[in-house]
Structures are given as C-alpha cells and as structure tokens.
Amino acid sequence: MEDQSVYRRWDELIPDALGLIFANLSLQEKLTVVPRVCKSWCRAVSGPYCWQEIDIDEWSKSCKPDYIDRMLRMLIMRSSGSLHKLCVSGLYSDASFTFLAEHTGSLQTLRLTRSEISDSIVEQISGRLSTVTFLDLSYCGKIGARAFEAIGKHCKLLVGLCRNMYPLMDGDKSQEDEANAIATTMPKLKRLEIAYLRISTDGVLKILSGCPELEYLDLRGCWEVELDISFLMEKFPKLKTLGPLVMDFYEMDWDSDSSEYLPWEFVTGDDGEYNDDDDNSLDELWDDERRLEELELRFYEEMEDACLNRLFGWHPSP
C-alpha cells in the first residue's frame, strides 16, 4: 500500500487556490454543499476568493426583490472589494444600486438588466463606476438620456454597452436623446446593442460619427432606421451591423408571467458554520417533483462569516 502522505490533502490547500476551484461551481453548490464538507472549505467560500465574479442573473429572475437585495449584499460583502464582474436582474431600488457602487471599487463588468434604478441615482453614483468597461442596462425603463450622459462622462474606460429594450415598451416615445448621449460621451465604444430603441437614422449616424472605434452595432427592431449598406461598408469597413429588419426572440410575448419564486432560506449560526442538526429538516422539506411557492428568508447581515444552514428546495449535500 502506497504511503498516502505523498498526496496533498484538499482541505490543506490555501484559500485562494480553493477559491479558484470553487469559482467553477454553481451558486447552489457554493452556498449549500461546499460549506458542509469541512471548516477550511466553509472559510474559503465565506471569503473573497470565490466571489470575484458574481453571476446571479438566472436566480434573480425568479426571485422576490427583497431576496435579491439580501443575496446581493451578502455576496458583495464576501467579495471584500475584489469583485470585478457582477450580473443580476431585477434590482428594484436605488439603495441597492448605491450599495453595490460603494463596495465594488474594481468592478469591470456590470449587468443590471430589468432593474428599477432611476436617472437621479445613476447621476449620483456613476462616478464610483469609473473602472467599468462593459455595462448592460437593458430593459431598465426608469432611466434615460440623463443616466447615459452621466455614465459616459464618468466611465471613460467603457467599451461595451447594452441598452436593448422590450418591443414597443414605451409606445411612441422617442429615445433619440439617449442616442445623442451615447454619441457625445462614449467615444471608445467598440460594441453597442440598442435593439428596439426608438431612434431614427440620424441618431444612428450620430453614434457612428461619435464612436469611431465601434466594431459591432445591434439595431434589431429599430424600425425607423434606414441605412445604406454600401455606405456602411465604405465608411465603416470594420463595423458589423445586425438589423434592424431581423426577427428574433425579442418578439416573444413579454407580458406572460410564468416565473416562479425560487425557495430560499438564509439562517446564520452563532459561529458562522454549518449545523448538522438541520439535515433532517432539509430531507423532510425536499420534494423533487415540485418547487415550494413560498419561503421565508432570514439573513443576519452582522455575521461576516455567515453561511447557509437551511435551504428549502435544494438537495442536501452528501
């Protein structure tokens, strides 16, 4: 029998190495399975090593707004300022946006689709997002030209912007002023998505003139835009343009509400570690054939090393 001492024990790996490994796991696994393996793994997923990239976009699409806010705050605090990518959908308050801006000094990629943030808060906070290079504010109906002008003035490193909208979201309301804000304040853009934005041909030409480094332009659903293909090929040979006459998934019925709330419960123990006494309750509550419609989420923000002890709806760890 070979001497087992020659093999490195997984629980002895340094936290940053464990973090690189755990970063490839799903949100569910990092929050409910890994912490139960051993104390060192629990400490690793409670620290910043696993949370330099936070992607809860899919999870947040099926969650109540208050739960999204609590989850976001917990994960951002775990990242300890090392976060460089954040994806979340349905951020419902200016306070949540303010919190993430104040605690993400090295953020580079930010996706806030379907969020309820306002022009005024973007104007106040955009100065804290100076490191952002890619921004997605698609389907955010409460912001307009003021927000994009502020973003352009403060986010000088911005090279990618998504501002896709729902079909006919604002009826006959023109969004030409948004096109003007992009054209005059974002000269380094290389990728721009503005599907279903209510803009004119003149607005697009202003963008092309003001953003000379543009390589990709998504105009799907911008029905009022008429561009001469030969003109584009001659003046902008490196530019790839999509649309406006393209039918795609944006034409789906967005009024249907088929989402269900994902069941969660956050409970922190006194020492921030997993409590084995909760195993039986997890087994009793798990039902593989359905999702629970309601849940109670409790999260005590004062516990820095908090981890999940109970969860409705997910398989318990082995």
Side-chain angles (χ1 to χ4, degrees):
M1 183 175 180
E2 295 186 26
D3 186 1
Q4 297 295 321
S5 63
V6 300
Y7 297 100
R8 183 72 178 266
R9 289 171 56 89
W10 278 75
D11 59 350
E12 293 179 353
L13 289 176
I14 58 177
D16 53 347
L18 286 173
L20 290 175
I21 297 170
F22 295 155
N24 296 300
L25 300 177
S26 68
L27 180 67
Q28 169 191 346
E29 291 169 325
K30 284 188 286 188
L31 293 181
T32 64
V33 178
V34 173
R36 299 179 176 186
V37 175
C38 63
K39 292 182 178 180
S40 64
W41 285 25
C42 182
R43 286 193 295 269
V45 294
S46 297
Y49 310 105
C50 290
W51 308 108
Q52 295 180 8
E53 294 188 6
I54 297 175
D55 188 346
I56 56 173
D57 184 74
E58 288 301 319
W59 176 82
S60 59
K61 288 177 182 177
S62 303
C63 250
K64 293 181 178 180
D66 185 51
Y67 299 170
I68 297 172
D69 180 74
R70 296 188 183 191
M71 171 67 83
L72 187 63
R73 288 172 181 261
M74 179 186 74
L75 298 183
I76 287 178
M77 293 307 295
R78 287 190 179 188
S79 71
S80 300
S82 64
L83 182 65
H84 59 79
K85 180 179 180 179
L86 174 62
C87 305
V88 60
S89 180
L91 203 66
Y92 75 102
S93 71
D94 287 350
S96 298
F97 182 62
T98 301
F99 179 85
L100 76 86
E102 290 176 345
H103 293 85
T104 54
S106 58
L107 197 62
Q108 298 174 9
T109 298
L110 179 60
R111 292 184 179 271
L112 296 177
T113 60
R114 301 172 178 84
S115 296
E116 298 295 316
I117 56 177
S118 65
D119 277 334
S120 59
I121 197 63
V122 174
E123 289 176 321
Q124 296 174 36
I125 300 300
S126 56
R128 296 179 178 269
L129 302 175
S130 60
T131 58
V132 170
T133 60
F134 180 87
L135 180 64
D136 189 346
L137 294 175
S138 297
Y139 321 117
C140 297
K142 292 186 177 181
I143 58 173
R146 287 169 51 197
F148 289 101
E149 183 176 357
I151 291 168
K153 288 181 178 179
H154 293 98
C155 303
K156 298 297 185 180
L157 303 178
L158 195 67
V159 295
L161 175 66
C162 292
R163 178 51 172 164
N164 301 315
M165 300 298 286
Y166 297 123
L168 304 179
M169 182 175 179
D170 293 311
D172 294 329
K173 181 181 177 181
S174 172
Q175 293 165 309
E176 196 79 2
D177 53 353
E178 292 188 24
N180 292 334
I182 293 171
T184 56
T185 65
M186 304 180 187
K188 293 185 179 181
L189 279 185
K190 293 184 178 180
R191 182 183 183 92
L192 177 61
E193 298 181 19
I194 49 176
Y196 291 96
L197 208 65
R198 297 299 299 271
I199 60 176
S200 66
T201 303
D202 185 58
V204 173
L205 292 176
K206 288 181 180 179
I207 290 175
L208 294 176
S209 176
C211 307
E213 299 181 27
L214 206 59
E215 298 175 356
Y216 179 87
L217 179 60
D218 187 347
L219 295 170
R220 288 174 294 178
C222 299
W223 309 122
E224 298 177 14
V225 175
E226 297 181 0
L227 295 175
D228 187 295
I229 301 300
S230 59
F231 168 78
L232 290 178
M233 294 179 64
E234 179 183 353
K235 295 293 184 180
F236 310 97
K238 296 182 179 180
L239 178 65
K240 178 181 178 181
T241 305
L242 185 60
L245 301 177
V246 176
M247 300 295 290
D248 60 282
F249 68 92
Y250 290 106
E251 298 289 359
M252 295 168 59
D253 180 10
W254 295 101
D255 293 329
S256 61
D257 185 13
S258 58
S259 63
E260 297 179 60
Y261 292 132
L262 291 184
W264 287 80
E265 179 176 356
F266 294 121
V267 178
T268 181
D270 292 338
D271 56 0
E273 296 180 358
Y274 171 64
N275 185 352
D276 291 330
D277 294 337
D278 288 331
D279 277 340
N280 292 334
S281 60
L282 277 168
D283 293 337
E284 293 173 0
L285 289 167
W286 174 255
D287 184 349
D288 197 41
E289 298 298 323
R290 66 181 177 86
R291 292 178 178 177
L292 299 175
E293 293 183 354
E294 297 294 334
L295 69 147
E296 180 180 2
L297 178 149
R298 299 195 299 272
F299 175 69
Y300 301 94
E301 296 180 347
E302 66 269 21
M303 299 294 184
E304 294 182 356
D305 297 322
C307 58
L308 300 175
N309 289 345
R310 298 178 62 194
L311 178 73
F312 298 141
W314 279 352
H315 286 291
S317 61

Short mmCIF file of all heavy atoms in Angstrom, two decimals, residues 126-187:
data_model
loop_
_atom_site.label_atom_id
_atom_site.label_comp_id
_atom_site.label_asym_id
_atom_site.label_seq_id
_atom_site.Cartn_x
_atom_site.Cartn_y
_atom_site.Cartn_z
N SER A 126 -22.57 57.23 -10.67
CA SER A 126 -21.75 56.80 -11.81
C SER A 126 -20.27 57.11 -11.63
O SER A 126 -19.41 56.42 -12.18
CB SER A 126 -22.26 57.45 -13.10
OG SER A 126 -22.29 58.86 -13.00
N GLY A 127 -19.93 58.12 -10.85
CA GLY A 127 -18.54 58.44 -10.59
C GLY A 127 -17.80 57.32 -9.88
O GLY A 127 -16.56 57.22 -9.96
N ARG A 128 -18.52 56.47 -9.17
CA ARG A 128 -17.91 55.34 -8.46
C ARG A 128 -17.71 54.13 -9.38
O ARG A 128 -17.18 53.11 -8.94
CB ARG A 128 -18.78 54.93 -7.27
CG ARG A 128 -18.90 56.00 -6.19
CD ARG A 128 -19.80 55.52 -5.07
NE ARG A 128 -19.91 56.49 -4.00
CZ ARG A 128 -19.12 56.53 -2.92
NH1 ARG A 128 -18.16 55.63 -2.81
NH2 ARG A 128 -19.28 57.44 -1.99
N LEU A 129 -18.16 54.23 -10.62
CA LEU A 129 -18.07 53.10 -11.55
C LEU A 129 -17.04 53.38 -12.65
O LEU A 129 -17.18 52.90 -13.77
CB LEU A 129 -19.44 52.84 -12.18
CG LEU A 129 -20.57 52.53 -11.20
CD1 LEU A 129 -21.91 52.41 -11.95
CD2 LEU A 129 -20.29 51.25 -10.42
N SER A 130 -16.03 54.13 -12.32
CA SER A 130 -15.05 54.57 -13.33
C SER A 130 -14.23 53.43 -13.91
O SER A 130 -13.62 53.58 -14.97
CB SER A 130 -14.12 55.62 -12.73
OG SER A 130 -13.42 55.08 -11.60
N THR A 131 -14.20 52.27 -13.24
CA THR A 131 -13.40 51.14 -13.74
C THR A 131 -14.20 50.23 -14.67
O THR A 131 -13.63 49.30 -15.26
CB THR A 131 -12.87 50.29 -12.57
OG1 THR A 131 -13.98 49.82 -11.78
CG2 THR A 131 -11.95 51.12 -11.68
N VAL A 132 -15.50 50.47 -14.81
CA VAL A 132 -16.36 49.59 -15.62
C VAL A 132 -16.01 49.72 -17.10
O VAL A 132 -15.92 50.82 -17.65
CB VAL A 132 -17.85 49.93 -15.40
CG1 VAL A 132 -18.74 49.20 -16.39
CG2 VAL A 132 -18.26 49.57 -13.97
N THR A 133 -15.84 48.57 -17.76
CA THR A 133 -15.56 48.54 -19.20
C THR A 133 -16.73 48.00 -20.00
O THR A 133 -16.83 48.26 -21.20
CB THR A 133 -14.32 47.69 -19.49
OG1 THR A 133 -14.53 46.34 -19.04
CG2 THR A 133 -13.09 48.27 -18.80
N PHE A 134 -17.61 47.23 -19.36
CA PHE A 134 -18.80 46.70 -20.04
C PHE A 134 -20.00 46.90 -19.14
O PHE A 134 -19.99 46.52 -17.96
CB PHE A 134 -18.64 45.22 -20.36
CG PHE A 134 -19.84 44.64 -21.07
CD1 PHE A 134 -19.94 44.70 -22.45
CD2 PHE A 134 -20.86 44.05 -20.35
CE1 PHE A 134 -21.04 44.18 -23.10
CE2 PHE A 134 -21.98 43.54 -20.98
CZ PHE A 134 -22.07 43.60 -22.36
N LEU A 135 -21.08 47.46 -19.70
CA LEU A 135 -22.28 47.79 -18.93
C LEU A 135 -23.52 47.35 -19.68
O LEU A 135 -23.67 47.62 -20.87
CB LEU A 135 -22.33 49.30 -18.67
CG LEU A 135 -23.51 49.84 -17.87
CD1 LEU A 135 -23.49 49.29 -16.45
CD2 LEU A 135 -23.47 51.37 -17.83
N ASP A 136 -24.41 46.65 -18.97
CA ASP A 136 -25.67 46.21 -19.55
C ASP A 136 -26.83 46.77 -18.74
O ASP A 136 -27.05 46.36 -17.59
CB ASP A 136 -25.74 44.68 -19.57
CG ASP A 136 -26.93 44.15 -20.37
OD1 ASP A 136 -27.84 44.96 -20.69
OD2 ASP A 136 -26.96 42.94 -20.67
N LEU A 137 -27.56 47.71 -19.33
CA LEU A 137 -28.74 48.30 -18.70
C LEU A 137 -29.97 48.06 -19.56
O LEU A 137 -30.84 48.92 -19.69
CB LEU A 137 -28.52 49.80 -18.48
CG LEU A 137 -27.43 50.18 -17.47
CD1 LEU A 137 -27.24 51.68 -17.42
CD2 LEU A 137 -27.77 49.65 -16.08
N SER A 138 -30.05 46.88 -20.13
CA SER A 138 -31.18 46.52 -20.98
C SER A 138 -32.46 46.40 -20.14
O SER A 138 -32.44 45.95 -19.00
CB SER A 138 -30.91 45.18 -21.67
OG SER A 138 -29.80 45.27 -22.53
N TYR A 139 -33.56 46.83 -20.74
CA TYR A 139 -34.90 46.70 -20.15
C TYR A 139 -35.06 47.48 -18.84
O TYR A 139 -35.92 47.15 -18.03
CB TYR A 139 -35.26 45.22 -19.92
CG TYR A 139 -34.80 44.32 -21.01
CD1 TYR A 139 -33.88 43.32 -20.79
CD2 TYR A 139 -35.27 44.48 -22.33
CE1 TYR A 139 -33.43 42.50 -21.81
CE2 TYR A 139 -34.82 43.66 -23.36
CZ TYR A 139 -33.90 42.68 -23.09
OH TYR A 139 -33.45 41.87 -24.09
N CYS A 140 -34.23 48.48 -18.64
CA CYS A 140 -34.37 49.35 -17.47
C CYS A 140 -35.21 50.56 -17.88
O CYS A 140 -34.70 51.49 -18.53
CB CYS A 140 -33.00 49.79 -16.96
SG CYS A 140 -31.96 48.44 -16.39
N GLY A 141 -36.48 50.54 -17.54
CA GLY A 141 -37.42 51.52 -18.07
C GLY A 141 -37.44 52.87 -17.37
O GLY A 141 -38.08 53.80 -17.86
N LYS A 142 -36.77 53.00 -16.23
CA LYS A 142 -36.83 54.24 -15.47
C LYS A 142 -35.63 55.16 -15.69
O LYS A 142 -35.52 56.20 -15.06
CB LYS A 142 -36.98 53.93 -13.98
CG LYS A 142 -38.31 53.29 -13.63
CD LYS A 142 -38.47 53.15 -12.12
CE LYS A 142 -39.84 52.58 -11.78
NZ LYS A 142 -40.03 52.45 -10.32
N ILE A 143 -34.73 54.76 -16.57
CA ILE A 143 -33.58 55.62 -16.87
C ILE A 143 -33.66 56.09 -18.31
O ILE A 143 -34.35 55.50 -19.14
CB ILE A 143 -32.24 54.90 -16.63
CG1 ILE A 143 -32.15 53.62 -17.48
CG2 ILE A 143 -32.05 54.60 -15.15
CD1 ILE A 143 -30.80 52.96 -17.41
N GLY A 144 -32.94 57.17 -18.60
CA GLY A 144 -32.95 57.72 -19.94
C GLY A 144 -31.65 58.42 -20.25
O GLY A 144 -30.58 58.04 -19.76
N ALA A 145 -31.74 59.49 -21.04
CA ALA A 145 -30.55 60.19 -21.53
C ALA A 145 -29.69 60.74 -20.40
O ALA A 145 -28.46 60.74 -20.48
CB ALA A 145 -30.97 61.32 -22.46
N ARG A 146 -30.30 61.21 -19.33
CA ARG A 146 -29.53 61.76 -18.21
C ARG A 146 -28.58 60.72 -17.63
O ARG A 146 -27.41 61.01 -17.35
CB ARG A 146 -30.48 62.26 -17.12
CG ARG A 146 -31.23 63.54 -17.45
CD ARG A 146 -32.33 63.78 -16.43
NE ARG A 146 -31.83 63.70 -15.05
CZ ARG A 146 -32.62 63.54 -14.00
NH1 ARG A 146 -33.93 63.44 -14.15
NH2 ARG A 146 -32.10 63.48 -12.78
N ALA A 147 -29.08 59.51 -17.49
CA ALA A 147 -28.24 58.44 -16.93
C ALA A 147 -27.08 58.12 -17.85
O ALA A 147 -25.93 57.98 -17.41
CB ALA A 147 -29.09 57.20 -16.67
N PHE A 148 -27.35 58.01 -19.15
CA PHE A 148 -26.30 57.63 -20.09
C PHE A 148 -25.28 58.75 -20.29
O PHE A 148 -24.10 58.48 -20.52
CB PHE A 148 -26.92 57.19 -21.40
CG PHE A 148 -27.62 55.87 -21.29
CD1 PHE A 148 -29.00 55.80 -21.17
CD2 PHE A 148 -26.89 54.69 -21.26
CE1 PHE A 148 -29.64 54.59 -21.04
CE2 PHE A 148 -27.53 53.46 -21.13
CZ PHE A 148 -28.90 53.42 -21.01
N GLU A 149 -25.72 59.96 -20.16
CA GLU A 149 -24.78 61.08 -20.24
C GLU A 149 -23.83 61.05 -19.05
O GLU A 149 -22.61 61.25 -19.19
CB GLU A 149 -25.53 62.40 -20.28
CG GLU A 149 -24.62 63.61 -20.44
CD GLU A 149 -25.40 64.91 -20.57
OE1 GLU A 149 -26.64 64.87 -20.59
OE2 GLU A 149 -24.73 65.96 -20.65
N ALA A 150 -24.37 60.76 -17.86
CA ALA A 150 -23.53 60.67 -16.66
C ALA A 150 -22.56 59.50 -16.75
O ALA A 150 -21.39 59.62 -16.39
CB ALA A 150 -24.41 60.53 -15.42
N ILE A 151 -23.04 58.38 -17.26
CA ILE A 151 -22.19 57.20 -17.43
C ILE A 151 -21.05 57.51 -18.40
O ILE A 151 -19.89 57.17 -18.16
CB ILE A 151 -23.02 56.00 -17.92
CG1 ILE A 151 -23.97 55.52 -16.82
CG2 ILE A 151 -22.11 54.86 -18.38
CD1 ILE A 151 -25.03 54.55 -17.29
N GLY A 152 -21.39 58.13 -19.52
CA GLY A 152 -20.36 58.46 -20.50
C GLY A 152 -19.30 59.41 -19.96
O GLY A 152 -18.12 59.29 -20.28
N LYS A 153 -19.70 60.35 -19.10
CA LYS A 153 -18.76 61.32 -18.57
C LYS A 153 -17.82 60.72 -17.53
O LYS A 153 -16.67 61.14 -17.40
CB LYS A 153 -19.53 62.49 -17.94
CG LYS A 153 -20.20 63.41 -18.96
CD LYS A 153 -20.93 64.54 -18.27
CE LYS A 153 -21.55 65.50 -19.29
NZ LYS A 153 -22.28 66.61 -18.62
N HIS A 154 -18.31 59.73 -16.78
CA HIS A 154 -17.53 59.17 -15.69
C HIS A 154 -16.87 57.83 -16.00
O HIS A 154 -15.83 57.50 -15.42
CB HIS A 154 -18.40 59.02 -14.44
CG HIS A 154 -18.84 60.31 -13.85
ND1 HIS A 154 -20.09 60.85 -14.10
CD2 HIS A 154 -18.21 61.20 -13.03
CE1 HIS A 154 -20.21 61.99 -13.44
NE2 HIS A 154 -19.09 62.22 -12.80
N CYS A 155 -17.47 57.05 -16.89
CA CYS A 155 -16.93 55.72 -17.21
C CYS A 155 -16.10 55.81 -18.48
O CYS A 155 -16.52 55.35 -19.56
CB CYS A 155 -18.07 54.71 -17.34
SG CYS A 155 -19.11 54.59 -15.87
N LYS A 156 -14.92 56.37 -18.37
CA LYS A 156 -14.08 56.64 -19.53
C LYS A 156 -13.51 55.38 -20.16
O LYS A 156 -13.03 55.42 -21.30
CB LYS A 156 -12.94 57.58 -19.13
CG LYS A 156 -13.40 58.94 -18.63
CD LYS A 156 -14.14 59.72 -19.71
CE LYS A 156 -14.49 61.12 -19.24
NZ LYS A 156 -15.22 61.89 -20.28
N LEU A 157 -13.54 54.26 -19.45
CA LEU A 157 -12.99 53.00 -19.97
C LEU A 157 -14.05 52.15 -20.67
O LEU A 157 -13.74 51.05 -21.13
CB LEU A 157 -12.35 52.20 -18.82
CG LEU A 157 -11.24 52.90 -18.03
CD1 LEU A 157 -10.74 51.99 -16.91
CD2 LEU A 157 -10.10 53.31 -18.95
N LEU A 158 -15.26 52.64 -20.76
CA LEU A 158 -16.36 51.86 -21.29
C LEU A 158 -16.16 51.53 -22.78
O LEU A 158 -16.03 52.43 -23.61
CB LEU A 158 -17.68 52.63 -21.11
CG LEU A 158 -18.97 51.82 -21.29
CD1 LEU A 158 -19.10 50.78 -20.17
CD2 LEU A 158 -20.18 52.75 -21.28
N VAL A 159 -16.15 50.24 -23.10
CA VAL A 159 -16.02 49.80 -24.49
C VAL A 159 -17.21 48.97 -24.95
O VAL A 159 -17.36 48.70 -26.15
CB VAL A 159 -14.72 48.99 -24.70
CG1 VAL A 159 -13.50 49.85 -24.47
CG2 VAL A 159 -14.69 47.75 -23.80
N GLY A 160 -18.08 48.56 -24.02
CA GLY A 160 -19.26 47.78 -24.38
C GLY A 160 -20.49 48.26 -23.64
O GLY A 160 -20.44 48.47 -22.43
N LEU A 161 -21.59 48.48 -24.38
CA LEU A 161 -22.84 48.94 -23.77
C LEU A 161 -24.02 48.19 -24.38
O LEU A 161 -24.14 48.11 -25.60
CB LEU A 161 -23.02 50.44 -23.97
CG LEU A 161 -24.35 51.04 -23.48
CD1 LEU A 161 -24.44 50.95 -21.96
CD2 LEU A 161 -24.51 52.49 -23.95
N CYS A 162 -24.89 47.66 -23.51
CA CYS A 162 -26.14 47.04 -23.95
C CYS A 162 -27.30 47.87 -23.43
O CYS A 162 -27.42 48.10 -22.22
CB CYS A 162 -26.26 45.61 -23.42
SG CYS A 162 -25.07 44.46 -24.14
N ARG A 163 -28.16 48.30 -24.36
CA ARG A 163 -29.35 49.07 -23.98
C ARG A 163 -30.54 48.51 -24.79
O ARG A 163 -31.30 49.26 -25.41
CB ARG A 163 -29.11 50.55 -24.28
CG ARG A 163 -30.28 51.49 -24.00
CD ARG A 163 -30.87 51.35 -22.62
NE ARG A 163 -31.85 52.38 -22.32
CZ ARG A 163 -32.72 52.31 -21.33
NH1 ARG A 163 -32.72 51.25 -20.54
NH2 ARG A 163 -33.58 53.29 -21.12
N ASN A 164 -30.69 47.21 -24.82
CA ASN A 164 -31.81 46.58 -25.51
C ASN A 164 -33.10 46.81 -24.73
O ASN A 164 -33.09 46.86 -23.50
CB ASN A 164 -31.56 45.07 -25.66
CG ASN A 164 -30.29 44.78 -26.43
OD1 ASN A 164 -30.03 45.39 -27.46
ND2 ASN A 164 -29.48 43.85 -25.92
N MET A 165 -34.21 46.95 -25.46
CA MET A 165 -35.48 47.22 -24.82
C MET A 165 -36.53 46.22 -25.29
O MET A 165 -36.34 45.51 -26.28
CB MET A 165 -35.94 48.65 -25.12
CG MET A 165 -34.98 49.72 -24.65
SD MET A 165 -34.76 49.73 -22.85
CE MET A 165 -36.33 50.44 -22.34
N TYR A 166 -37.65 46.18 -24.57
CA TYR A 166 -38.77 45.34 -25.00
C TYR A 166 -39.43 45.97 -26.22
O TYR A 166 -39.45 47.20 -26.36
CB TYR A 166 -39.82 45.22 -23.89
CG TYR A 166 -39.33 44.56 -22.64
CD1 TYR A 166 -39.41 45.22 -21.41
CD2 TYR A 166 -38.78 43.28 -22.66
CE1 TYR A 166 -38.98 44.62 -20.24
CE2 TYR A 166 -38.34 42.68 -21.50
CZ TYR A 166 -38.44 43.35 -20.29
OH TYR A 166 -38.00 42.77 -19.14
N PRO A 167 -40.02 45.17 -27.10
CA PRO A 167 -40.74 45.73 -28.25
C PRO A 167 -41.88 46.66 -27.80
O PRO A 167 -42.69 46.29 -26.96
CB PRO A 167 -41.29 44.49 -28.96
CG PRO A 167 -40.37 43.40 -28.56
CD PRO A 167 -39.96 43.70 -27.16
N LEU A 168 -41.88 47.89 -28.33
CA LEU A 168 -42.94 48.86 -28.07
C LEU A 168 -43.15 49.13 -26.60
O LEU A 168 -44.25 49.42 -26.15
CB LEU A 168 -44.27 48.37 -28.70
CG LEU A 168 -44.22 48.08 -30.19
CD1 LEU A 168 -45.58 47.59 -30.66
CD2 LEU A 168 -43.80 49.31 -30.97
N MET A 169 -42.06 49.04 -25.83
CA MET A 169 -42.17 49.24 -24.39
C MET A 169 -42.72 50.61 -24.03
O MET A 169 -43.53 50.76 -23.13
CB MET A 169 -40.80 49.04 -23.73
CG MET A 169 -40.81 49.18 -22.23
SD MET A 169 -39.19 48.78 -21.52
CE MET A 169 -39.51 49.06 -19.77
N ASP A 170 -42.27 51.63 -24.75
CA ASP A 170 -42.70 52.99 -24.46
C ASP A 170 -43.62 53.57 -25.52
O ASP A 170 -43.74 54.78 -25.66
CB ASP A 170 -41.47 53.90 -24.30
CG ASP A 170 -40.67 53.54 -23.06
OD1 ASP A 170 -41.28 53.41 -22.00
OD2 ASP A 170 -39.45 53.39 -23.17
N GLY A 171 -44.24 52.70 -26.31
CA GLY A 171 -45.16 53.17 -27.32
C GLY A 171 -44.48 54.06 -28.33
O GLY A 171 -43.52 53.67 -28.97
N ASP A 172 -44.97 55.29 -28.46
CA ASP A 172 -44.42 56.22 -29.44
C ASP A 172 -43.34 57.14 -28.86
O ASP A 172 -42.89 58.06 -29.52
CB ASP A 172 -45.56 57.09 -30.01
CG ASP A 172 -46.56 56.26 -30.81
OD1 ASP A 172 -46.13 55.26 -31.41
OD2 ASP A 172 -47.75 56.62 -30.81
N LYS A 173 -42.94 56.88 -27.65
CA LYS A 173 -41.93 57.74 -27.01
C LYS A 173 -40.59 57.59 -27.69
O LYS A 173 -40.04 56.50 -27.80
CB LYS A 173 -41.81 57.39 -25.53
CG LYS A 173 -40.80 58.25 -24.79
CD LYS A 173 -40.69 57.83 -23.33
CE LYS A 173 -39.63 58.65 -22.59
NZ LYS A 173 -39.52 58.23 -21.17
N SER A 174 -40.03 58.70 -28.13
CA SER A 174 -38.72 58.68 -28.79
C SER A 174 -37.60 58.57 -27.77
O SER A 174 -37.69 59.12 -26.66
CB SER A 174 -38.53 59.95 -29.62
OG SER A 174 -37.21 60.03 -30.12
N GLN A 175 -36.56 57.87 -28.14
CA GLN A 175 -35.37 57.75 -27.29
C GLN A 175 -34.15 58.32 -28.02
O GLN A 175 -33.02 57.90 -27.79
CB GLN A 175 -35.16 56.29 -26.89
CG GLN A 175 -36.27 55.77 -25.97
CD GLN A 175 -36.30 54.27 -25.84
OE1 GLN A 175 -36.32 53.56 -26.85
NE2 GLN A 175 -36.31 53.78 -24.62
N GLU A 176 -34.43 59.29 -28.87
CA GLU A 176 -33.36 59.94 -29.64
C GLU A 176 -32.34 60.61 -28.74
O GLU A 176 -31.15 60.65 -29.05
CB GLU A 176 -33.98 60.96 -30.58
CG GLU A 176 -33.06 61.43 -31.69
CD GLU A 176 -32.97 60.43 -32.84
OE1 GLU A 176 -33.66 59.39 -32.78
OE2 GLU A 176 -32.21 60.69 -33.77
N ASP A 177 -32.79 61.12 -27.60
CA ASP A 177 -31.86 61.79 -26.69
C ASP A 177 -30.86 60.81 -26.09
O ASP A 177 -29.73 61.19 -25.77
CB ASP A 177 -32.63 62.53 -25.59
CG ASP A 177 -33.62 61.64 -24.84
OD1 ASP A 177 -33.82 60.49 -25.26
OD2 ASP A 177 -34.19 62.10 -23.83
N GLU A 178 -31.25 59.55 -25.96
CA GLU A 178 -30.31 58.54 -25.47
C GLU A 178 -29.21 58.30 -26.52
O GLU A 178 -28.03 58.15 -26.17
CB GLU A 178 -31.02 57.23 -25.15
CG GLU A 178 -31.95 57.31 -23.95
CD GLU A 178 -32.48 55.95 -23.55
OE1 GLU A 178 -31.83 54.92 -23.85
OE2 GLU A 178 -33.56 55.89 -22.91
N ALA A 179 -29.62 58.24 -27.77
CA ALA A 179 -28.64 58.07 -28.85
C ALA A 179 -27.66 59.24 -28.86
O ALA A 179 -26.45 59.06 -29.05
CB ALA A 179 -29.35 57.96 -30.20
N ASN A 180 -28.17 60.46 -28.65
CA ASN A 180 -27.30 61.64 -28.62
C ASN A 180 -26.31 61.57 -27.45
O ASN A 180 -25.14 61.94 -27.59
CB ASN A 180 -28.15 62.91 -28.52
CG ASN A 180 -28.94 63.17 -29.78
OD1 ASN A 180 -28.56 62.73 -30.86
ND2 ASN A 180 -30.06 63.87 -29.64
N ALA A 181 -26.80 61.10 -26.29
CA ALA A 181 -25.94 60.99 -25.11
C ALA A 181 -24.82 59.98 -25.36
O ALA A 181 -23.66 60.21 -24.99
CB ALA A 181 -26.76 60.58 -23.90
N ILE A 182 -25.16 58.86 -25.99
CA ILE A 182 -24.15 57.85 -26.30
C ILE A 182 -23.13 58.40 -27.29
O ILE A 182 -21.92 58.23 -27.13
CB ILE A 182 -24.82 56.58 -26.88
CG1 ILE A 182 -25.67 55.90 -25.79
CG2 ILE A 182 -23.79 55.62 -27.43
CD1 ILE A 182 -26.55 54.78 -26.31
N ALA A 183 -23.62 59.08 -28.32
CA ALA A 183 -22.75 59.60 -29.37
C ALA A 183 -21.76 60.65 -28.86
O ALA A 183 -20.62 60.73 -29.33
CB ALA A 183 -23.59 60.19 -30.50
N THR A 184 -22.20 61.46 -27.91
CA THR A 184 -21.37 62.58 -27.47
C THR A 184 -20.49 62.27 -26.27
O THR A 184 -19.56 63.06 -25.98
CB THR A 184 -22.27 63.79 -27.11
OG1 THR A 184 -23.22 63.40 -26.11
CG2 THR A 184 -22.99 64.29 -28.34
N THR A 185 -20.73 61.16 -25.57
CA THR A 185 -19.96 60.91 -24.33
C THR A 185 -19.23 59.57 -24.30
O THR A 185 -18.49 59.31 -23.35
CB THR A 185 -20.89 60.97 -23.10
OG1 THR A 185 -21.84 59.90 -23.16
CG2 THR A 185 -21.61 62.31 -23.03
N MET A 186 -19.40 58.71 -25.31
CA MET A 186 -18.80 57.38 -25.27
C MET A 186 -17.97 57.08 -26.51
O MET A 186 -18.27 56.18 -27.29
CB MET A 186 -19.89 56.30 -25.10
CG MET A 186 -20.77 56.50 -23.88
SD MET A 186 -22.03 55.20 -23.72
CE MET A 186 -23.00 55.84 -22.34
N PRO A 187 -16.90 57.82 -26.73
CA PRO A 187 -16.12 57.68 -27.96
C PRO A 187 -15.34 56.37 -28.08
O PRO A 187 -14.91 56.01 -29.18
CB PRO A 187 -15.17 58.88 -27.90
CG PRO A 187 -15.01 59.15 -26.44
CD PRO A 187 -16.35 58.87 -25.84
#
